[in-house]
């Protein structure tokens, strides 16, 4: 994405853009603290980042809506985060690259050869597996083949967005294309998930900064998510929590409770079981997040959030399926009861007859 | 499907199926039993009134026994009322009932629920201690008594743990799932063991009351 002579290290790039060391250190401190690293790590990080060489990145887009790319690239005016994003060498990305047609695929092959074993692969979108993967192809190649091929020489993979991380919307019931997540397919490489629909830009750059600094992916939870950003639930950090504790719940989106900023649990907020950084990192340059705007969390960073009942049903709503099972149980129970009563009646009469 | 989805979906459905099946079985099995023929002359015809009166009068200990049963009676009342408050006056619980019944009722603040839960828990522990230390009670207690105690205490403990988010490393969703599973265990066991008294108590007291009334005994 860079024209002309490109600087070799991130430090050079920052100097070229007139970024002061102080601003840079501040950024590193922010990244360090958001990743739960000790403050003493900030200068170390700054040093490592300044020396970091351009990182070759191959971005694969599969069954996706481009919302994730939008979130990450259109977030806001240039900041250090976006600089880091600029600094990586995005060697292949459908939507953003200038090259088109076969040139694009050739550029990808060239980057793979040059950086074999060292490049990062970022994936957005899920991979269809049904019917040999015919439901999504690029340049005549199925997504499945592309992913396997490109992952082979990767240092690590980052699944961006809920689709790449867990299958997402394409996987929603009845999953017509057999959509799968990257982790369902790639088992022999480190894969980190940055789920969200879309994910938070800062989380993305945090993970990349971590990789550039330490040369490896940050610590992850059981669902392959960076613990630093996904360790807490939305509910853990929600500023409406005091209302939850007091049992003050908005009943409608326009009632007095809603106007007073009460808890949105009854309106379907899934915050208690959703892991994401929205309540702390927030959106739009740390300005706000959905709950602050008056809507409950829909759990967009969790697997299968599309299929977990209505966004507006309270969390404790049971999933009934159908009432037939219960009706049948009542019928069977009553029958068995009558049956056993008749049996003991017979025995009773027997005893009475025998005296 | 993760554990919470399993708890919310299939586990809940099966627990309710067992609850309904067992309850219908126990009630039908008793209602359709043959009555023992009572050949004596009835002393009174107010059998229905006697049945109804006994259902309530047995909730108060008879004067003669009052001092001896005071301790366990007070504890019994405390935990039954506490349990009712926790189960029926906590907002997340009410919303669950609403998803079955279609309507809701006012809730109590969470702090009240937490206090009620802790008090309930302590009374249940005190009752277990009494059961274990009294030689007579111990002799007449069987597996059913201890198991019924455990499945009643489990949702209280897991519910409090979920709300306080102390899971010894378990995440909140997992704690919540464990809470739900413990509730389903209670539901599934309820009709089959001594917890069946939740609905059988009215049948047995009513029967006793009717019999006493017929014989002219105090109801
Ligand atoms: C014997 C006692 C209890 C019973 C029978 C019981 C029953 C239930 C039931 C039926 C649900 C709804 C299931 C669902 O979410 O699908 C539930 C959820 C819940 N219970 Fe309990 N519970 C008990 C005690 C407690 C206690 C002591 C607490 C804590 C103070 C508690 C806290 C919760 C919470 C936080 C939820 C989940 C709400 C959500 O889904 O976010 N429970 N319980
Ligand atoms: S609004 Fe949602 S996340 Fe916030 S306290 Fe209420 S339930 Fe929890
Ligand atoms: S608040 Fe919940 S639904 Fe909204 S963006 Fe954050 S994780 Fe997704």
């Amino acid at each position: 994405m860079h024209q002309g002579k490109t600087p070799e290290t991130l430090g050079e790039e920052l100097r070229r853009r007139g970024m002061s060391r102080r601003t840079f250190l501040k950024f590193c401190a922010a990244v360090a603290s958001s990743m739960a690293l000790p403050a003493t790590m900030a200068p170390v990080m700054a040093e490592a980042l300044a020396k970091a060489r351009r990182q070759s990145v191959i971005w694969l887009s599969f069954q996706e809506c481009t919302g994730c790319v939008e979130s990450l690239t259109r977030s806001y005016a240039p900041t250090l985060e976006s600089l880091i994003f600029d600094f990586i060498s995005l060697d292949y990305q459908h939507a953003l690259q200038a090259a088109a047609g076969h040139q694009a695929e050739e550029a990808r092959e060239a980057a793979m050869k040059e950086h074999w074993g060292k490049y990062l692969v970022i994936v957005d979108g899920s991979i269809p597996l049904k019917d040999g993967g015919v439901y999504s192809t690029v340049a005549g190649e199925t997504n499945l083949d592309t992913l396997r091929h490109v992952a082979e020489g990767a240092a690590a993979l980052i699944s961006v967005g809920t689709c790449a991380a867990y299958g997402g919307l394409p996987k929603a019931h009845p999953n017509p294309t057999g959509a799968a997540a990257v982790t369902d397919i790639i088992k022999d490489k480190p894969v980190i998930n940055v789920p969200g629909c879309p994910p938070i830009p800062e989380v993305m750059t945090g993970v990349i900064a971590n990789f550039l600094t330490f040369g490896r992916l940050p610590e992850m939870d059981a669902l392959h998510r960076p613990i630093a950003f996904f360790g807490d639930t939305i509910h853990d950090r929600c500023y409406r929590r005091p209302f939850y504790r007091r049992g003050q719940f908005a009943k409608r989106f326009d009632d007095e409770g809603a106007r007073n900023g009460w808890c949105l649990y009854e309106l379907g907020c899934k915050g208690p079981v959703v892991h994401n950084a929205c309540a702390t990192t927030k959106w739009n340059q740390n300005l706000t997040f959905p709950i602050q705007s008056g809507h409950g969390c829909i759990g967009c960073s969790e697997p299968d959030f599309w299929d977990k009942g209505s966004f507006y049903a309270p969390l404790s709503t049971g999933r009934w399926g159908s009432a037939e099972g219960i009706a049948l149980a009542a019928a069977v129970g009553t029958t068995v009861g009558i049956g056993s009563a008749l049996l003991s009646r017979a025995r009773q009469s027997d005893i009475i007859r025998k005296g | 499907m993760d554990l919470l989805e399993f708890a919310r979906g299939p586990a809940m459905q099966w627990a309710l199926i067992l609850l309904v099946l067992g309850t219908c079985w126990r009630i039908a099995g008793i209602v359709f039993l043959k009555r023992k023929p009572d050949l004596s002359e009835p002393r009174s015809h107010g059998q229905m009134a006697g049945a109804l009166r006994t259902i309530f009068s047995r909730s108060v200990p008879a004067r003669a026994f009052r001092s001896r049963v005071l301790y366990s009676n007070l504890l019994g009342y405390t935990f039954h009322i506490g349990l009712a408050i926790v189960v029926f006056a906590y907002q997340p619980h009410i919303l669950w009932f609403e998803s079955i019944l279609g309507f809701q009722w006012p809730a109590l603040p969470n702090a009240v629920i937490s206090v009620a839960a802790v008090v309930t828990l302590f009374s249940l522990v005190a009752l277990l201690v009494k059961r274990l230390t009294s030689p007579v009670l111990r002799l007449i207690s069987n597996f059913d008594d201890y198991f019924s105690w455990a499945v009643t205490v489990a949702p209280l403990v897991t519910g409090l743990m979920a709300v306080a988010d102390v899971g010894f490393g378990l995440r909140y969703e997992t704690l919540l799932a464990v809470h739900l599973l413990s509730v389903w265990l209670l539901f599934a066991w309820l009709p089959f063991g001594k917890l069946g008294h939740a609905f059988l108590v009215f049948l047995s007291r009513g029967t006793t009351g009717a019999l006493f009334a017929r014989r002219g005994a105090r109801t």
Side-chain angles (χ1 to χ4, degrees):
Chain A
M1 288 174 73
H2 284 262
Q3 273 90 36
K5 187 189 168 298
T6 48
E8 269 306 297
T9 64
L10 182 57
E12 279 171 40
E13 164 94 16
L14 295 176
R15 270 193 295 284
R16 194 175 66 96
R17 296 227 187 175
M19 187 69 64
S20 76
R21 182 173 158 74
R22 216 171 137 237
T23 318
F24 185 53
L25 264 173
K26 249 172 79 183
F27 164 75
C28 290
V31 172
S33 82
S34 74
M35 308 236 17
L37 297 169
T40 50
M41 277 312 288
V44 181
M45 193 164 186
E47 198 156 318
L49 267 178
K51 280 201 223 121
R53 310 211 142 247
R54 296 178 76 75
Q55 171 67 46
S56 168
V57 172
I58 296 177
W59 186 308
L60 302 175
S61 294
F62 298 142
Q63 295 192 117
E64 45 86 39
C65 70
T66 317
C68 294
V69 181
E70 288 290 330
S71 165
L72 299 172
T73 56
R74 305 290 149 89
S75 46
Y76 35 81
T79 59
L80 268 159
E81 288 95 321
S82 64
L83 260 185
I84 291 226
F85 208 68
D86 278 355
F87 179 70
I88 60 176
S89 159
L90 204 46
D91 291 322
Y92 178 81
Q93 211 299 351
H94 295 161
L96 304 177
Q97 76 193 145
H102 289 298
Q103 281 181 341
E105 264 58 46
E106 280 158 21
R108 188 184 77 197
E109 291 304 311
M112 280 175 65
K113 211 168 275 155
E114 194 185 334
H115 304 285
W116 189 261
K118 294 199 289 274
Y119 58 84
L120 257 184
V121 176
I122 299 183
V123 181
D124 66 327
S126 64
I127 303 99
L129 298 182
K130 209 158 149 187
D131 301 328
V134 296
Y135 297 106
S136 178
T137 62
V138 175
E141 193 179 41
T142 65
N143 293 167
L144 180 62
D145 287 340
T146 308
L147 176 63
R148 284 210 180 115
H149 171 62
V150 176
E152 222 174 303
L157 292 90
I158 303 179
S159 295
V160 168
T162 300
C163 298
Y166 314 123
L169 175 59
K171 187 174 171 242
H173 183 77
N175 191 5
T177 66
V182 171
T183 45
D184 293 333
I185 295 158
I186 304 300
K187 307 279 187 195
D188 57 349
K189 296 275 174 183
V191 183
I192 194 164
N193 288 335
V194 183
C197 193
I200 304 174
E202 284 83 351
V203 176
M204 175 78 200
T205 43
V207 170
I208 295 180
N210 195 284
F211 187 81
L212 294 178
T213 311
F214 301 108
R216 60 182 154 74
L217 297 176
E219 200 191 340
M220 300 183 242
D221 68 10
L223 292 175
H224 288 258
R225 300 179 291 202
I227 288 181
F229 295 106
F230 292 88
D232 288 331
T233 62
I234 302 290
H235 187 66
D236 283 336
R237 298 305 196 93
C238 180
Y239 74 102
R240 296 194 188 217
R241 186 68 179 265
F243 296 108
Y244 174 90
R245 247 184 251 123
R246 269 179 252 138
Q248 291 176 311
F249 301 99
K251 312 256 175 212
R252 294 158 50 104
F253 284 108
D254 57 355
D255 70 1
E256 208 195 323
R259 278 195 291 279
N260 291 335
W262 287 2
C263 172
L264 301 167
Y265 184 89
E266 266 200 71
L267 291 168
C269 182
K270 307 291 184 284
V273 295
V274 176
H275 291 255
N276 204 347
C278 302
T280 43
T281 304
K282 301 200 178 175
W283 289 83
N284 302 328
Q285 261 181 304
N286 246 296
L287 185 66
T288 178
F289 74 115
I291 291 173
Q292 207 169 334
S293 315
H295 195 288
C297 169
I298 62 173
C300 76
S301 58
E302 294 292 324
D304 303 323
F305 77 100
W306 298 99
D307 292 327
K308 290 181 172 172
S310 164
F311 293 156
Y312 300 98
L315 191 55
S316 59
T317 306
R319 287 198 219 318
W320 295 101
S322 75
E324 283 148 38
I326 307 275
L328 197 66
V332 171
T334 311
T335 316
V336 173
I338 295 176
S340 63
L342 290 182
L343 258 175
S344 41
R345 274 179 165 229
R347 273 220 318 273
Q348 281 172 310
S349 320
D350 221 34
I351 294 169
I352 292 168
R353 199 161 3 88
K354 285 186 190 142
Chain B
M1 185 174 345
D2 56 30
L3 194 63
L4 186 57
E5 284 300 293
F6 170 73
R8 283 256 163 76
M12 180 187 89
Q13 289 160 16
W14 278 106
L16 288 172
I17 284 176
L18 284 173
L19 176 67
V20 170
L21 192 146
T23 308
C24 292
W25 170 29
R26 297 283 308 264
I27 292 179
I30 290 170
V31 167
F32 290 100
L33 271 181
K34 199 189 199 84
R35 303 282 145 81
K36 207 164 77 183
D38 190 341
L39 305 175
S40 66
E41 184 81 14
R43 307 275 168 86
S44 117
H45 291 285
Q47 290 180 31
M48 196 57 187
L52 288 176
R53 220 174 13 252
T54 303
I55 287 177
F56 292 101
S57 68
R58 288 290 169 100
S59 301
V60 187
R63 182 159 297 136
F65 304 123
R66 201 159 286 169
S67 60
R68 264 200 281 165
V69 297
L70 193 67
Y71 174 78
S72 39
N73 251 352
L74 274 183
L75 285 176
Y77 265 102
T78 310
F79 100 76
H80 275 95
I81 293 170
L83 212 52
I85 291 177
V86 170
V87 174
F88 297 110
Y90 182 45
Q91 189 69 7
H93 291 168
I94 295 174
L95 293 173
W96 182 77
F97 285 111
E98 190 192 11
S99 71
I100 318 177
L101 305 172
F103 56 89
Q104 57 163 289
W105 49 90
L108 287 171
N110 293 4
V112 178
I113 304 297
S114 299
V115 170
V118 171
V119 169
T120 308
L121 190 58
F122 276 110
S123 358
L124 277 163
V125 169
L127 282 167
L128 180 71
V129 169
K130 181 163 167 70
R131 189 180 286 282
L132 288 173
T133 51
S134 148
V136 177
L137 267 180
R138 226 167 86 179
L139 202 63
I140 59 169
S141 298
N142 59 10
F143 171 79
D144 190 348
D145 292 282
Y146 295 111
F147 190 68
S148 297
W149 181 90
V151 297
T152 311
V153 165
L156 280 167
V157 173
T158 55
L160 282 167
M161 279 170 69
V163 166
D165 208 357
V166 282
F168 308 104
L170 291 182
R171 302 194 320 185
Y172 180 78
E173 316 76 289
T174 314
L175 289 178
L176 200 52
V178 170
H179 175 55
L180 301 190
L181 291 173
S182 70
V183 175
W184 310 148
L185 181 64
L186 170 66
F187 280 15
W189 174 249
L190 195 136
F192 300 103
K194 293 197 181 179
L195 289 179
H197 76 270
F199 50 85
L200 293 179
V201 66
F202 304 108
L203 271 184
S204 57
R205 276 191 196 167
T207 309
T208 313
L211 195 72
F212 279 18
R214 186 186 157 94
R215 298 200 177 156
R218 202 179 60 184
T219 53

